[in-house]
Amino acid sequence: MAEDLVVEADLRFIKDTGESSQSMCFEDEETTCFSWATFYLYSARVKKTISGPEVPREFRVIFGRHALAKKNISDVVIKLEELPENNVFNAMYQVVEIE
């Protein structure tokens, strides 16, 4: 089993992609759904790799969580998941957890 990729980084906000990251549905049949959060694109500047493989010093990440402010985030520890190459976001990783 591969070790989780966790880094300490600064995230510089680039844009709201408009792509849904979370949906909320009403009714059991999930026929009435709406976007609860969208993915934001950030430039991550790594200060330190805590676990996992070494990564470039700077790369793009996406992060989508409800009530996430459209601003830079400094000195944050994040768990990352690699994205497929040539994804629509032009990002290397997705933030899956933040401390």
Side-chain angles (χ1 to χ4, degrees):
M1 184 171 152
E3 187 177 15
D4 288 338
L5 176 55
V6 179
V7 300
E8 179 183 344
D10 291 333
L11 301 178
R12 182 179 51 83
F13 178 79
I14 298 173
K15 70 177 183 176
D16 181 342
T17 69
E19 296 290 325
S20 182
S21 64
Q22 297 175 345
S23 296
M24 179 178 279
C25 298
F26 296 100
E27 303 176 12
D28 292 336
E29 300 165 14
E30 297 187 6
T31 56
T32 308
C33 298
F34 65 93
S35 181
W36 180 247
T38 58
F39 282 113
Y40 291 179
L41 182 65
Y42 291 90
S43 175
R45 181 176 292 257
V46 176
K47 294 178 172 186
K48 177 176 138 184
T49 299
I50 296 170
S51 69
E54 288 297 317
V55 293
R57 177 156 160 70
E58 194 164 333
F59 51 85
R60 289 182 171 199
V61 299
I62 56 169
F63 186 32
R65 178 169 84 183
H66 178 66
L68 185 61
K70 295 178 182 178
K71 65 177 190 172
N72 299 336
I73 306 171
S74 298
D75 296 320
V76 65
V77 175
I78 52 179
K79 179 178 172 184
L80 300 169
E81 186 174 283
E82 192 168 11
L83 292 171
E85 286 187 38
N86 302 320
N87 59 74
V88 297
F89 304 110
N90 194 25
M92 287 184 69
Y93 296 95
Q94 178 178 342
V95 176
V96 292
E97 196 173 310
I98 190 166
E99 294 182 18

